[in-house]
Amino acid sequence: MRFQRVSKAVVVGAAMALALSACAPGGSGTDPKASESGAAGGNGSAEVTNSGLADLGDITTKDGAIAVSVGAPEFISYNGFTPNTYSTYNSAITDRMFAGFSYFGTDGTLYPNEDLGSYEKISDDPLTIKYTISENAKWSDGTPITVADSVLAWGVQNLNLNEGSKEKPLFNSVSVDLGDTVPKGPQGDVAGKEFTVEFSDPDPDWALQSWMLQPAHVVAKEAGMSTEELANAILAGESDKLTKAAKFWNEGWTTNPGTLPKEEIMPVSGPYKLGSWKAGESVTLVANEDYYGTPAATKELNFRFVEDAAMVQALQNKDIDVIGPQPTVDTLAQLEALGDQVAIQQGDTLTWEHLDFNFRGKNAFKNLELRKAFAMCVPRQNIVDNLVKPLNPEAVVMNAREVFPFQDNYEDVVSASYDGRYDQVDLEGAKKILEAEDAVGTTVRIGYSAPNERRTNEVAAIKSSCDEAGFKVEDAGDPKFFAPGGTQERGDYDVALFAWAGSGQISSGQNIYATGKPQNYGQYSNEQVDAEWETLARSLDPAVHQEQIKKIEKLLWDDLYGIPVFAHPGLSASGADIQNVRHTATQNGIVWNAEQWVRAE
């Protein structure tokens, strides 16, 4: 994976349908260095001594194709940075096409992407970072990658560029905070290769900020401007001059399924570019023959839109070479039955299942007492025992949102924020609340991205328990639940069941839980939660981060923003003849290093 996403939470398709990531990037707050621990499993052809990309030496692109499936949802757009297009499914494809200054290794360690350039912290007060774009870095149409492209990335994430109100941003971006975080934007010759950024406050996630997205020269041309005019208008905050540019950025790359944008408006900065798209079937990426960095190992990557239940058979039939299915007991058993025909990748992941309440409009769950009653009847332990432990015997009910059960600080955070009141089902307690609130028979529509065998089983378990308490649970699974204009966007649900996929960021949860943030889909609002996130996001001190997380977790439990359920076990598989497939714990999934995959001779 060469493109760095901006947030901890990506809505997970198998885990959820959108790879929506919490948009305040995360990192160490120091210059990232390669970790020498965490060797990944898999059937690689290269020596792997750390969590980053393997050193394959001098390679040339090999003819042929490798087919992969990470799920059934359709490809959405070349521009995967809007709230409606930023999903794990879409990102699996677009991340092969766009370069960022850093990438995540298998365990969440951050590595610099030296193909694109370099960066260094040159001041702590104020926090200032210098970026240098490689001299030979260029878009696939031959246009040099310059500071103007980073200015566009800043402008896209700048809520201060608006149509008169921050409630109506000019650019419909999944990340909106960079205009406040870096008020002046990238400083440097917009036609040059070097720039600096000065942060208004300490930012623990500075190394994860996205300074390279789509091509500025294309946006400028479509808006009737020169690239320099576009960049200067963004830096000057001249929103009135940017209307056409923003409209194109928001809409111009989104086409009907099966129809690619014109080739001249979709150049890429990464190792692959869009080749073809068969609606409902697949998207094929072809190697960018003019890529300035390490070339793709295989000429074509074919992303198949296959339901989880059909993946193993497709792998066995050699219709697909690599699969990233929803982990289930049956799927693991089927893969193990294939013996040495396949390589199985397993491990912990930074992805977690949860139930989120809808606070919009007149939804019944705006009532805290009803949220408590529902939390009392959700059989979390039963779900973990039956659906997760067979895949990971160490699995436990998850009682936090910002830390994971396998992380060292998990017990410290949970002991300070949660008293265990919802660990066991309490049907009598739930019944009493429903009766006292005159709410017996309240309908609970649980929405999720269907088909999804494990989610369907989760909803069935919740219905069996919560109906007995007095709720009326309905399975509202929908293939278009997270699609643009779908059920989730309309707010036509009571509880959303999905997963956030992360990569170890520090302050990205602010984009999910703080008032008015782009990934706060249920429109939850708590001023104290907002304030605690602000404190966390402005500190580089790990001790402050830990204490703030404790406070935030307690507030979210007391307020019942939602209900965490479990951390996802990782499961993927590849044909025995496919080399360099490696498990990752991060949101990028099995395709994180797909540009290194190659078929054995």
Side-chain angles (χ1 to χ4, degrees):
M1 199 278 287
R2 298 303 179 96
F3 177 51
Q4 158 239 314
R5 312 302 302 175
V6 290
S7 167
K8 166 191 178 176
V10 176
V11 183
V12 180
M16 154 182 176
L18 270 181
L20 301 161
S21 117
C23 284
S28 64
T30 60
D31 290 339
K33 292 182 172 60
S35 167
E36 294 302 322
S37 62
N43 54 336
S45 63
E47 183 73 19
V48 178
T49 58
N50 56 45
S51 72
L53 291 168
D55 183 3
L56 304 183
D58 294 331
I59 65 171
T60 57
T61 301
K62 184 178 179 179
D63 286 340
I66 291 177
V68 57
S69 181
V70 295
E74 182 69 79
F75 177 62
I76 307 173
S77 178
Y78 163 97
N79 181 1
F81 211 69
T82 74
N84 294 333
T85 61
Y86 189 48
S87 76
T88 50
Y89 300 120
N90 204 72
S91 294
I93 297 171
T94 59
D95 282 359
R96 319 277 72 76
M97 297 156 50
F98 295 100
F101 283 100
S102 60
Y103 71 94
F104 286 113
T106 59
D107 61 359
T109 298
L110 193 68
Y111 294 87
N113 174 17
E114 296 177 355
D115 285 351
L116 178 63
S118 62
Y119 55 96
E120 62 176 326
K121 182 169 61 174
I122 59 176
S123 172
D124 283 316
D125 187 16
L127 178 61
T128 307
I129 316 299
K130 178 182 178 181
Y131 288 84
T132 302
I133 301 168
S134 294
E135 191 60 36
N136 62 343
K138 61 183 179 180
W139 294 94
S140 56
D141 62 5
T143 303
I145 296 174
T146 67
V147 174
D149 295 301
S150 294
V151 171
L152 174 62
W154 175 75
V156 161
Q157 299 172 77
N158 185 354
L159 198 60
N160 299 313
L161 294 175
N162 56 69
E163 299 180 49
S165 167
K166 285 193 175 185
E167 300 301 316
K168 194 175 182 181
L170 197 61
F171 291 93
N172 184 29
S173 168
V174 71
S175 174
V176 297
D177 296 334
L178 204 50
D180 290 330
T181 304
V182 181
K184 294 180 181 179
Q187 299 296 297
D189 178 2
V190 296
K193 292 278 190 174
E194 292 184 352
F195 65 95
T196 60
V197 293
E198 183 179 303
F199 287 76
S200 57
D201 295 288
D203 185 344
D205 297 323
W206 67 262
L208 291 180
Q209 296 288 3
S210 293
W211 293 109
M212 194 61 62
L213 295 173
Q214 294 80 27
H217 68 283
V218 170
V219 176
K221 183 177 180 180
E222 294 299 310
M225 310 169 74
S226 69
T227 304
E228 290 76 10
E229 287 173 337
L230 172 68
N232 289 330
I234 291 172
L235 290 169
E238 296 173 332
S239 301
D240 57 323
K241 294 182 179 180
L242 298 171
T243 303
K244 288 183 179 180
K247 181 175 177 57
F248 174 77
W249 190 91
N250 294 339
E251 305 171 4
W253 286 299
T254 301
T255 54
N256 292 327
T259 302
L260 291 176
K262 295 178 181 180
E263 185 174 0
E264 58 264 30
I265 68 169
M266 58 173 195
V268 300
S269 57
Y272 282 99
K273 58 186 179 181
L274 281 166
S276 62
W277 180 5
K278 295 181 180 179
E281 295 183 20
S282 66
V283 160
T284 296
L285 299 181
V286 296
N288 174 8
E289 62 273 15
D290 295 318
Y291 185 54
Y292 48 88
T294 303
T298 299
K299 187 172 183 178
E300 294 186 358
L301 288 178
N302 182 245
F303 286 81
R304 305 281 180 87
F305 310 140
V306 177
E307 293 183 7
D308 296 295
M311 285 188 187
V312 176
Q313 187 64 56
L315 182 65
Q316 182 178 12
N317 295 344
K318 297 186 181 299
D319 295 327
I320 299 178
D321 300 298
V322 182
I323 61 173
Q326 175 80 28
T328 68
V329 180
D330 290 342
T331 299
L332 178 58
Q334 291 168 16
L335 288 171
E336 290 175 335
L338 297 181
D340 59 9
Q341 296 180 58
V342 302
I344 300 172
Q345 298 88 28
Q346 289 182 272
D348 291 323
T349 73
L350 293 168
T351 298
W352 59 286
E353 193 88 343
H354 52 96
L355 294 148
D356 283 359
F357 293 110
N358 188 354
F359 295 84
R360 306 188 204 183
K362 297 181 179 180
N363 191 282
F365 282 122
K366 293 182 77 170
N367 182 334
L368 175 59
E369 293 303 307
L370 294 189
R371 299 200 297 274
K372 290 179 179 178
F374 188 71
M376 288 177 180
C377 67
V378 173
R380 295 192 299 157
Q381 188 65 58
N382 174 271
I383 289 171
V384 170
D385 288 345
N386 293 325
L387 302 179
V388 186
K389 278 195 173 183
L391 291 162
N392 176 13
E394 305 301 316
V396 297
V397 171
M398 189 164 165
N399 285 322
R401 301 157 184 82
E402 294 297 299
V403 293
F404 288 77
F406 52 83
Q407 294 180 321
D408 292 340
N409 60 338
Y410 176 78
E411 292 298 337
D412 184 39
V413 170
V414 171
S415 64
S417 60
Y418 172 64
D419 61 8
R421 68 182 66 184
Y422 304 116
D423 282 357
Q424 303 298 324
V425 169
D426 181 2
L427 294 181
E428 290 305 314
K431 287 178 182 178
K432 289 179 180 178
I433 291 176
L434 288 174
E435 290 170 357
E437 296 294 318
D438 192 24
V440 174
T442 295
T443 297
V444 182
R445 297 164 298 160
I446 301 181
Y448 62 97
S449 179
N452 188 308
E453 179 184 353
R454 187 166 71 191
R455 294 254 160 74
T456 299
N457 290 334
E458 288 179 62
V459 174
I462 294 169
K463 178 176 176 60
S464 177
S465 179
C466 290
D467 279 10
E468 189 175 344
F471 287 105
K472 184 180 178 182
V473 174
E474 295 181 359
D475 185 325
D478 181 353
K480 296 183 178 180
F481 189 78
F482 291 105
T487 312
Q488 184 273 331
E489 186 176 309
R490 299 195 308 270
D492 190 19
Y493 67 94
D494 300 301
V495 176
L497 174 61
F498 62 99
W500 288 119
S503 296
Q505 297 94 318
I506 296 169
S507 63
S508 60
Q510 185 176 28
N511 206 54
I512 299 173
Y513 308 112
T515 303
K517 296 296 184 180
Q519 293 181 286
N520 186 347
Y521 304 123
Q523 297 182 9
Y524 168 79
S525 181
N526 180 313
E527 291 183 359
Q528 190 174 354
V529 170
D530 297 347
E532 301 297 353
W533 272 117
E534 286 296 317
T535 299
L536 184 152
R538 284 174 166 77
S539 174
L540 297 177
D541 186 347
V544 172
H545 300 159
Q546 179 77 346
E547 291 308 306
Q548 289 304 113
I549 288 298
K550 291 178 184 178
K551 294 176 182 179
I552 291 167
E553 291 281 7
K554 186 175 190 310
L555 287 167
L556 293 175
W557 269 119
D558 291 347
D559 227 8
L560 271 178
Y561 165 93
I563 308 168
V565 187
F566 58 83
H568 280 225
L571 176 65
S572 58
S574 52
D577 61 336
I578 306 300
Q579 297 178 330
N580 303 323
V581 179
R582 297 165 60 194
H583 169 76
T584 180
T586 71
Q587 66 190 35
N588 306 304
I590 193 60
V591 297
W592 78 278
N593 71 331
E595 61 268 29
Q596 294 194 322
W597 295 350
V598 66
R599 196 179 303 275
E601 298 288 349

